[in-house]
Amino acid sequence: MPDSRERVFLRSNAIIEPLVDKFYAWMHIVAPAQASMNLANVQVPLLESYLHSPQVHIAASSNPDLRGGYFVNVPEARAAEVGELLDTIKRERADMLAFAAAVTEADELLRQNASGFDLTPLYPKLPAPLHGLVELAYDTSNQASMHYMEPLLYHSKAFDRGRQSVQLSLEDGVERPFILSTPRLSSPDVLDLPISFDHPGLDELMRARVEGTTLARLREALELDDAQALQLERLLAPEPSLSPDRHIDNGGRIRYFGHACLVLQSPEAAVVVDPFISADNRHGDRYTLDDLPDHIDLVLITHGHQDHIVLETLLQLRPRVGAVVVPRSSRGNLCDPSIGLYLKSMGFTVIEVDDFDEVPLPGGARVVATPFLGEHSDLDIRAKSTYLVQLAGLSAFIGADSSGIDPALYQYIRSHLGEVDKAFLGMECDGAPLTWLYQGLLTRPVTKKMSDSRKLSGSNAEQAAAIMTELGAGEAYIYAMGEESWQGHVMATTYTPDTYQIQQIEEFLTWCKGNDTFAEHLFNQREWRW
């Protein structure tokens, strides 16, 4: 064993998987109300289904046509471990399961009894797990609903940091199991740490990527025993692997890191949008964590879907980030958890914004939050924002997966903020149905036909063209839609030239060419300098 006092650095390809009850963590299984609902309505039934027929799940997991489906990809020889996990959840998460049952019961109580008259008599009839945590209210069309006091939920039995843990390993280029369905079991090549996401030892480890530290210091910070310290050594190197051009001395730069992740820089400021970044630097065809600036002033989050607020990447960035800018939620809406509360629970500094709020940056730059239309299956979700970033004399519109269903919106953006130089747009225009992501939160079943009609879709060719026209943007860049090879565990998408989404992108590129607008379908990496 090398001297534990020698300076070491976190390897470039070291990854951290945040887990909740062994499932890969994303917002809907961390935020208390949503986590309870998904545990009861998705994860427990999923594990029960696997234990009933492991062969069915294993066969489905290897079927390309079923990629991204809710199947447990665990060998049958390890079924007993899945059974132990299920038993643990039922025993130790009983309060969460009771909370989910209470939500469904209370929803039915409202449907049966809230007829436009005083709601006060219903409070004593609410199930006990909801007492003190909800408010009943009518909207202006006389429809009753239940609003959750979300800050209190983080101090209730519906939230337990003991569910949280992390797995540390090295990126080997092998696609990991799909995050929404397969629990991460222990294996010899991973270091399992039963620590919560806000544990200060994680920041000590992540700082070692840039600053270096000692094995002794990491061992103390992460509370490791001898065996764990030996495992941690695999993740460490004697020299840093940071890219020499990760900063700039003049002008401005934008780098595309894949999917919807952009890094915008001037000599004075750095902004990262929707960080979802590869840790595999062996290929030379992508930017990785090595290419990020040492300090990031702002991280911008556009919305709460699992491919845009990627906790695995965010935890690696936490020690070097000034603040995370997030759209404000509608407060108390089950399908619209607060991104701000979620990140604050893990120790991030958060700035919540509404439409047209501004956040200043060093060097006279600024970020302006702008409206986000669509892509959320017509659910009442307010925690979504596009952004205009004005930096080093350039104006970039960050469109994420928003839709051009009402082009007049972009007239207002242009009249308020001026013309745009570059527009970055998502064109996953035939997305997954409502129930793929929101099944666990529904208190009343929807038909398949209804679910299929309400897609998680961005702009098609016509809508993207309308955005460009109304923004007056000179250049258009279309994000890859999970096409990069290293995103399969999150995106689970497969495209061919005949896929509708790809055809719509080609149609939009043709429109741009005919309208003297430079356009490009992004993939893996790209850089712009000015």
Side-chain angles (χ1 to χ4, degrees):
M1 178 185 294
D3 191 329
S4 64
R5 296 166 295 178
E6 292 178 359
R7 198 159 190 79
V8 291
F9 296 82
L10 187 62
R11 289 187 182 276
S12 172
N13 62 332
I15 61 174
I16 172 175
E17 286 201 323
L19 307 180
V20 176
D21 284 331
K22 298 297 184 182
F23 282 90
Y24 189 101
W26 68 289
M27 188 165 65
H28 283 195
I29 67 165
V30 176
Q34 296 73 22
S36 298
M37 296 294 284
N38 273 288
L39 190 68
N41 300 330
V42 176
Q43 292 168 330
V44 165
L46 181 67
L47 297 179
E48 290 175 335
S49 172
Y50 168 83
L51 291 170
H52 182 263
S53 302
Q55 304 91 339
V56 172
H57 281 255
I58 295 164
S61 296
S62 61
N63 185 341
D65 293 335
L66 298 177
R67 194 177 187 215
Y70 281 75
F71 304 103
V72 177
N73 187 16
V74 171
E76 188 172 1
R78 304 192 70 177
E81 295 173 68
V82 176
E84 291 173 6
L85 173 61
L86 180 60
D87 290 343
T88 298
I89 288 173
K90 288 182 175 180
R91 180 179 65 254
E92 298 183 4
R93 313 302 174 218
D95 288 328
M96 296 181 67
L97 297 174
F99 183 91
V103 169
T104 300
E105 182 182 341
D107 191 72
E108 183 61 26
L109 177 73
L110 284 182
R111 276 202 291 268
Q112 296 295 330
N113 297 279
S115 56
F117 293 91
D118 180 20
L119 293 172
T120 303
L122 298 185
Y123 279 87
K125 299 179 181 179
L126 288 171
L130 301 183
H131 288 176
L133 296 173
V134 299
E135 181 181 19
L136 308 180
Y138 290 113
D139 63 19
T140 53
S141 62
N142 216 31
Q143 298 297 309
S145 61
M146 187 162 54
H147 300 277
Y148 300 82
M149 299 180 187
E150 199 171 356
L152 299 184
L153 288 174
Y154 279 88
H155 300 278
S156 75
K157 293 180 179 179
F159 184 68
D160 180 5
R161 294 184 196 275
R163 304 179 68 211
Q164 300 175 3
S165 65
V166 299
Q167 276 192 350
L168 304 173
S169 60
L170 293 175
E171 174 63 73
D172 58 7
V174 176
E175 184 173 314
R176 289 176 264 166
F178 180 51
I179 67 168
L180 297 182
S181 60
T182 298
R184 302 299 202 254
L185 303 182
S186 298
S187 67
D189 59 343
V190 302
L191 172 56
D192 285 289
L193 297 180
I195 58 177
S196 59
F197 303 151
D198 64 344
H199 194 287
L202 289 177
D203 284 352
E204 182 73 24
L205 179 63
M206 298 314 158
R207 270 193 293 267
R209 190 184 296 278
V210 176
E211 301 173 6
T213 186
T214 65
L215 180 58
R217 188 169 174 177
L218 286 175
R219 177 172 180 167
E220 181 181 4
L222 291 168
E223 305 169 71
L224 306 181
D225 59 28
D226 289 346
Q228 291 172 325
L230 279 172
Q231 284 184 293
L232 179 63
E233 272 192 69
R234 297 177 54 247
L235 307 179
L236 306 175
E239 300 291 337
S241 56
L242 303 172
S243 299
D245 64 346
R246 62 191 186 277
H247 304 119
I248 61 172
D249 297 325
N250 57 75
R253 179 172 74 183
I254 300 175
R255 281 180 163 179
Y256 175 67
F257 275 60
H259 197 54
C261 179
L262 296 167
V263 177
L264 303 94
Q265 292 174 269
S266 70
E268 301 86 9
V271 176
V272 179
V273 184
D274 288 349
F276 181 8
I277 299 173
S278 175
D280 190 349
N281 68 351
R282 297 171 299 172
H283 307 281
D285 64 349
R286 70 197 68 168
Y287 296 120
T288 70
L289 293 166
D290 291 341
D291 297 290
L292 289 172
D294 295 348
H295 176 73
I296 298 164
D297 295 279
L298 297 176
V299 167
L300 310 183
I301 299 298
T302 60
H303 59 298
H305 290 162
Q306 76 282 2
D307 56 322
H308 290 262
I309 180 167
V310 182
L311 189 54
E312 174 181 332
T313 301
L314 282 171
L315 287 176
Q316 299 228 31
L317 303 187
R318 186 170 61 192
R320 64 170 96 172
V321 170
V324 185
V325 178
V326 304
R328 195 182 305 277
S329 71
S330 54
R331 287 190 64 197
N333 181 346
L334 184 60
C335 66
D336 191 21
S338 167
I339 301 176
L341 287 173
Y342 167 67
L343 292 178
K344 287 176 185 177
S345 78
M346 291 176 276
F348 288 91
T349 299
V350 175
I351 300 172
E352 290 186 295
V353 292
D354 292 312
D355 294 340
F356 295 112
D357 282 350
E358 298 185 15
V359 183
L361 283 162
R366 66 171 181 165
V367 170
V368 184
T370 47
F372 184 134
L373 273 181
E375 213 261 334
H376 286 70
S377 300
D378 298 325
L379 293 169
D380 182 19
I381 293 175
R382 299 292 94 208
K384 53 184 181 177
S385 180
T386 59
Y387 296 96
L388 192 79
V389 180
Q390 296 175 328
L391 176 141
L394 181 137
S395 180
F397 175 69
I398 313 298
D401 297 330
S402 59
S403 173
I405 49 178
D406 188 353
L409 166 65
Y410 302 93
Q411 294 177 14
Y412 283 102
I413 293 175
R414 181 179 180 179
S415 65
H416 187 67
L417 298 172
E419 291 188 356
V420 169
D421 298 303
K422 301 180 188 298
F424 295 88
L425 306 174
M427 288 187 63
E428 172 56 88
C429 50
D430 186 24
L434 162 70
T435 52
W436 183 73
L437 204 59
Y438 292 102
Q439 175 68 45
L441 305 185
L442 301 179
T443 57
R444 194 187 322 193
V446 298
T447 65
K448 183 179 186 304
K449 185 175 181 179
M450 185 183 296
S451 176
D452 288 346
S453 76
R454 294 166 59 183
K455 297 289 185 72
L456 295 159
S457 296
S459 293
N460 61 23
E462 181 181 1
Q463 293 163 351
I467 292 174
M468 293 299 295
T469 299
E470 301 304 338
L471 284 179
E475 300 173 19
Y477 298 96
I478 308 306
Y479 303 117
M481 302 175 295
E483 299 162 79
E484 289 102 352
S485 60
W486 47 272
Q487 299 171 349
H489 63 295
V490 174
M491 296 302 297
T493 48
T494 303
Y495 298 103
T496 70
D498 295 327
T499 303
Y500 175 72
Q501 293 95 321
I502 301 298
Q503 291 179 334
Q504 283 294 293
I505 290 173
E506 290 301 318
E507 183 177 325
F508 173 67
L509 296 178
T510 300
W511 178 89
C512 288
K513 187 175 182 180
N515 286 271
D516 296 322
T517 299
F518 180 83
E520 186 178 333
H521 181 192
L522 300 174
F523 181 74
N524 269 1
Q525 70 176 50
R526 177 76 152 84
E527 179 180 278
W528 300 263
R529 287 297 304 262
W530 65 96

